[in-house]
Short mmCIF file of all heavy atoms in Angstrom, two decimals:
data_model
loop_
_atom_site.label_atom_id
_atom_site.label_comp_id
_atom_site.label_asym_id
_atom_site.label_seq_id
_atom_site.Cartn_x
_atom_site.Cartn_y
_atom_site.Cartn_z
N ALA A 1 101.21 87.76 95.33
CA ALA A 1 100.64 89.10 95.49
C ALA A 1 99.29 89.04 96.18
O ALA A 1 98.50 88.12 95.97
CB ALA A 1 100.49 89.77 94.12
N LYS A 2 99.02 90.05 97.00
CA LYS A 2 97.77 90.07 97.79
C LYS A 2 96.71 90.96 97.17
O LYS A 2 95.60 91.06 97.68
CB LYS A 2 98.10 90.51 99.22
CG LYS A 2 98.92 89.46 99.97
CD LYS A 2 99.57 90.00 101.21
CE LYS A 2 100.83 90.80 100.91
NZ LYS A 2 101.94 90.01 100.35
N ASN A 3 97.03 91.62 96.06
CA ASN A 3 96.05 92.36 95.28
C ASN A 3 96.64 92.54 93.89
O ASN A 3 97.84 92.29 93.66
CB ASN A 3 95.69 93.71 95.92
CG ASN A 3 96.91 94.57 96.17
OD1 ASN A 3 97.59 95.00 95.24
ND2 ASN A 3 97.22 94.83 97.44
N LEU A 4 95.81 92.99 92.95
CA LEU A 4 96.29 93.10 91.56
C LEU A 4 97.34 94.18 91.38
O LEU A 4 98.23 94.05 90.53
CB LEU A 4 95.11 93.37 90.63
CG LEU A 4 94.33 92.13 90.15
CD1 LEU A 4 93.21 92.55 89.22
CD2 LEU A 4 95.25 91.14 89.45
N GLY A 5 97.24 95.25 92.17
CA GLY A 5 98.28 96.27 92.09
C GLY A 5 99.63 95.71 92.44
O GLY A 5 100.64 95.97 91.75
N GLU A 6 99.68 94.91 93.51
CA GLU A 6 100.94 94.28 93.89
C GLU A 6 101.36 93.25 92.85
O GLU A 6 102.56 93.09 92.58
CB GLU A 6 100.77 93.61 95.26
CG GLU A 6 102.05 92.99 95.79
CD GLU A 6 101.86 92.27 97.11
OE1 GLU A 6 100.82 92.50 97.78
OE2 GLU A 6 102.74 91.46 97.48
N PHE A 7 100.39 92.55 92.26
CA PHE A 7 100.73 91.58 91.21
C PHE A 7 101.49 92.25 90.09
O PHE A 7 102.52 91.74 89.62
CB PHE A 7 99.46 90.92 90.68
CG PHE A 7 99.68 90.09 89.45
CD1 PHE A 7 100.19 88.81 89.54
CD2 PHE A 7 99.39 90.59 88.18
CE1 PHE A 7 100.41 88.04 88.41
CE2 PHE A 7 99.59 89.83 87.04
CZ PHE A 7 100.11 88.55 87.15
N TRP A 8 101.01 93.41 89.63
CA TRP A 8 101.67 94.08 88.51
C TRP A 8 102.99 94.73 88.91
O TRP A 8 103.80 95.07 88.05
CB TRP A 8 100.73 95.09 87.87
CG TRP A 8 99.74 94.39 86.99
CD1 TRP A 8 98.43 94.16 87.22
CD2 TRP A 8 100.02 93.80 85.72
NE1 TRP A 8 97.86 93.45 86.19
CE2 TRP A 8 98.81 93.22 85.25
CE3 TRP A 8 101.16 93.69 84.93
CZ2 TRP A 8 98.73 92.55 84.04
CZ3 TRP A 8 101.07 93.02 83.72
CH2 TRP A 8 99.87 92.46 83.28
N ASN A 9 103.22 94.88 90.21
CA ASN A 9 104.53 95.32 90.68
C ASN A 9 105.52 94.17 90.77
O ASN A 9 106.72 94.39 90.97
CB ASN A 9 104.41 95.99 92.05
CG ASN A 9 103.78 97.36 91.98
OD1 ASN A 9 103.93 98.06 90.98
ND2 ASN A 9 103.06 97.74 93.02
N ARG A 10 105.01 92.94 90.63
CA ARG A 10 105.86 91.75 90.73
C ARG A 10 106.01 91.02 89.39
O ARG A 10 106.93 90.23 89.23
CB ARG A 10 105.26 90.76 91.75
CG ARG A 10 105.31 91.20 93.21
CD ARG A 10 104.43 90.30 94.06
NE ARG A 10 104.59 90.49 95.48
CZ ARG A 10 105.29 89.72 96.29
NH1 ARG A 10 105.94 88.68 95.79
NH2 ARG A 10 105.37 89.96 97.58
N TRP A 11 105.08 91.23 88.45
CA TRP A 11 105.05 90.48 87.19
C TRP A 11 105.64 91.33 86.06
O TRP A 11 105.24 92.48 85.87
CB TRP A 11 103.61 90.09 86.85
CG TRP A 11 103.47 89.47 85.49
CD1 TRP A 11 103.23 90.13 84.31
CD2 TRP A 11 103.57 88.09 85.15
NE1 TRP A 11 103.19 89.23 83.26
CE2 TRP A 11 103.40 87.97 83.76
CE3 TRP A 11 103.80 86.93 85.90
CZ2 TRP A 11 103.44 86.74 83.10
CZ3 TRP A 11 103.85 85.70 85.24
CH2 TRP A 11 103.67 85.62 83.86
N HIS A 12 106.55 90.74 85.28
CA HIS A 12 107.14 91.43 84.11
C HIS A 12 107.44 92.87 84.48
O HIS A 12 106.92 93.81 83.86
CB HIS A 12 106.16 91.34 82.94
CG HIS A 12 106.78 91.60 81.60
ND1 HIS A 12 108.07 92.06 81.45
CD2 HIS A 12 106.28 91.48 80.34
CE1 HIS A 12 108.33 92.20 80.16
NE2 HIS A 12 107.27 91.84 79.47
N MET A 13 108.28 93.05 85.48
CA MET A 13 108.47 94.36 86.09
C MET A 13 109.06 95.40 85.13
O MET A 13 108.79 96.59 85.27
CB MET A 13 109.34 94.22 87.34
CG MET A 13 108.66 93.43 88.45
SD MET A 13 109.58 93.40 90.01
CE MET A 13 110.96 92.34 89.58
N SER A 14 109.84 94.96 84.15
CA SER A 14 110.38 95.94 83.20
C SER A 14 109.27 96.54 82.35
O SER A 14 109.32 97.72 81.99
CB SER A 14 111.46 95.29 82.32
OG SER A 14 110.91 94.29 81.48
N LEU A 15 108.24 95.74 82.02
CA LEU A 15 107.10 96.28 81.28
C LEU A 15 106.22 97.13 82.20
O LEU A 15 105.78 98.22 81.82
CB LEU A 15 106.27 95.15 80.68
CG LEU A 15 104.95 95.58 80.00
CD1 LEU A 15 105.22 96.51 78.82
CD2 LEU A 15 104.14 94.36 79.57
N SER A 16 105.96 96.64 83.41
CA SER A 16 105.11 97.39 84.34
C SER A 16 105.68 98.76 84.66
O SER A 16 104.97 99.77 84.67
CB SER A 16 104.92 96.58 85.63
OG SER A 16 104.24 95.37 85.39
N THR A 17 106.99 98.82 84.93
CA THR A 17 107.60 100.12 85.24
C THR A 17 107.65 101.01 84.00
O THR A 17 107.55 102.23 84.11
CB THR A 17 109.01 99.93 85.82
OG1 THR A 17 109.81 99.15 84.91
CG2 THR A 17 108.95 99.23 87.16
N TRP A 18 107.81 100.39 82.81
CA TRP A 18 107.77 101.19 81.58
C TRP A 18 106.41 101.84 81.42
O TRP A 18 106.32 103.05 81.15
CB TRP A 18 108.07 100.32 80.36
CG TRP A 18 108.34 101.09 79.10
CD1 TRP A 18 109.56 101.39 78.57
CD2 TRP A 18 107.37 101.68 78.22
NE1 TRP A 18 109.41 102.13 77.42
CE2 TRP A 18 108.08 102.33 77.17
CE3 TRP A 18 105.99 101.74 78.21
CZ2 TRP A 18 107.45 103.01 76.15
CZ3 TRP A 18 105.35 102.43 77.19
CH2 TRP A 18 106.06 103.05 76.18
N LEU A 19 105.34 101.06 81.57
CA LEU A 19 103.98 101.60 81.44
C LEU A 19 103.74 102.70 82.48
O LEU A 19 103.07 103.70 82.21
CB LEU A 19 102.96 100.49 81.59
CG LEU A 19 102.92 99.46 80.45
CD1 LEU A 19 102.02 98.29 80.83
CD2 LEU A 19 102.45 100.10 79.14
N ARG A 20 104.28 102.50 83.68
CA ARG A 20 104.12 103.51 84.73
C ARG A 20 104.85 104.81 84.39
O ARG A 20 104.29 105.90 84.48
CB ARG A 20 104.67 102.95 86.05
CG ARG A 20 104.59 103.92 87.23
CD ARG A 20 105.50 103.44 88.35
NE ARG A 20 106.91 103.52 87.96
CZ ARG A 20 107.91 102.88 88.59
NH1 ARG A 20 107.63 102.08 89.61
NH2 ARG A 20 109.15 103.02 88.18
N ASP A 21 106.13 104.68 83.95
CA ASP A 21 106.97 105.87 83.77
C ASP A 21 106.72 106.59 82.45
O ASP A 21 106.89 107.82 82.38
CB ASP A 21 108.45 105.48 83.84
CG ASP A 21 108.84 104.99 85.21
OD1 ASP A 21 108.09 105.25 86.18
OD2 ASP A 21 109.89 104.31 85.33
N TYR A 22 106.30 105.88 81.41
CA TYR A 22 106.19 106.50 80.09
C TYR A 22 104.76 106.60 79.58
O TYR A 22 104.54 107.15 78.50
CB TYR A 22 107.05 105.73 79.08
CG TYR A 22 108.50 105.68 79.47
CD1 TYR A 22 109.05 104.54 80.06
CD2 TYR A 22 109.33 106.78 79.29
CE1 TYR A 22 110.36 104.50 80.45
CE2 TYR A 22 110.67 106.75 79.67
CZ TYR A 22 111.17 105.61 80.26
OH TYR A 22 112.48 105.58 80.65
N LEU A 23 103.79 106.11 80.36
CA LEU A 23 102.40 106.23 79.95
C LEU A 23 101.51 106.71 81.09
O LEU A 23 100.84 107.72 80.97
CB LEU A 23 101.89 104.88 79.40
CG LEU A 23 100.47 104.87 78.83
CD1 LEU A 23 100.32 105.92 77.72
CD2 LEU A 23 100.12 103.48 78.30
N TYR A 24 101.52 105.97 82.21
CA TYR A 24 100.61 106.31 83.31
C TYR A 24 100.92 107.69 83.90
O TYR A 24 100.01 108.53 84.04
CB TYR A 24 100.70 105.24 84.40
CG TYR A 24 99.75 105.45 85.55
CD1 TYR A 24 98.38 105.29 85.38
CD2 TYR A 24 100.22 105.80 86.82
CE1 TYR A 24 97.50 105.48 86.44
CE2 TYR A 24 99.35 105.99 87.88
CZ TYR A 24 98.00 105.82 87.68
OH TYR A 24 97.13 106.01 88.73
N ARG A 25 102.15 107.96 84.24
CA ARG A 25 102.50 109.25 84.83
C ARG A 25 102.34 110.41 83.84
O ARG A 25 101.84 111.47 84.23
CB ARG A 25 103.91 109.20 85.41
CG ARG A 25 103.98 108.37 86.69
CD ARG A 25 105.38 108.25 87.23
NE ARG A 25 105.39 107.52 88.50
CZ ARG A 25 106.49 107.11 89.13
NH1 ARG A 25 107.69 107.36 88.59
NH2 ARG A 25 106.41 106.46 90.27
N PRO A 26 102.75 110.26 82.56
CA PRO A 26 102.47 111.36 81.62
C PRO A 26 100.98 111.64 81.44
O PRO A 26 100.60 112.78 81.14
CB PRO A 26 103.10 110.86 80.31
CG PRO A 26 104.21 109.97 80.76
CD PRO A 26 103.68 109.28 81.98
N LEU A 27 100.12 110.63 81.63
CA LEU A 27 98.68 110.86 81.56
C LEU A 27 98.14 111.59 82.80
O LEU A 27 97.00 112.04 82.81
CB LEU A 27 97.94 109.52 81.43
CG LEU A 27 98.02 108.83 80.07
CD1 LEU A 27 97.40 107.43 80.15
CD2 LEU A 27 97.34 109.65 78.99
N GLY A 28 98.97 111.71 83.81
CA GLY A 28 98.55 112.38 85.04
C GLY A 28 98.70 111.52 86.27
O GLY A 28 98.70 112.02 87.39
N GLY A 29 98.80 110.19 86.06
CA GLY A 29 99.01 109.29 87.17
C GLY A 29 97.97 109.44 88.25
O GLY A 29 96.76 109.46 88.01
N ASN A 30 98.46 109.58 89.48
CA ASN A 30 97.58 109.75 90.64
C ASN A 30 97.37 111.22 91.00
O ASN A 30 96.70 111.51 92.00
CB ASN A 30 98.17 109.02 91.86
CG ASN A 30 98.31 107.54 91.62
OD1 ASN A 30 97.50 106.93 90.94
ND2 ASN A 30 99.36 106.93 92.19
N ARG A 31 97.92 112.13 90.19
CA ARG A 31 97.89 113.55 90.55
C ARG A 31 96.64 114.27 90.03
O ARG A 31 96.54 115.48 90.18
CB ARG A 31 99.13 114.25 89.97
CG ARG A 31 100.44 113.61 90.41
CD ARG A 31 101.64 114.37 89.87
NE ARG A 31 101.58 114.55 88.43
CZ ARG A 31 101.99 113.67 87.55
NH1 ARG A 31 102.48 112.50 87.96
NH2 ARG A 31 101.92 113.90 86.26
N VAL A 32 95.73 113.53 89.44
CA VAL A 32 94.54 114.13 88.84
C VAL A 32 93.30 113.69 89.63
O VAL A 32 93.40 113.03 90.66
CB VAL A 32 94.42 113.72 87.36
CG1 VAL A 32 95.54 114.37 86.54
CG2 VAL A 32 94.49 112.20 87.21
N SER A 33 92.14 114.07 89.14
CA SER A 33 90.89 113.73 89.83
C SER A 33 90.69 112.21 89.85
O SER A 33 91.28 111.47 89.04
CB SER A 33 89.71 114.39 89.13
OG SER A 33 89.55 113.86 87.82
N LYS A 34 89.84 111.75 90.75
CA LYS A 34 89.62 110.32 90.89
C LYS A 34 89.06 109.69 89.61
O LYS A 34 89.52 108.61 89.21
CB LYS A 34 88.72 110.05 92.09
CG LYS A 34 89.42 110.34 93.42
CD LYS A 34 88.50 110.08 94.60
CE LYS A 34 89.25 110.38 95.91
NZ LYS A 34 88.39 110.17 97.09
#
């Protein structure tokens, strides 16, 4: 991976996608203020 974001897209992907779909996005994800 060339950055940490890419690392987490490559490492333990079932956990990373779970955190994205069931925690990060319900919190607002990238759709909220910076």
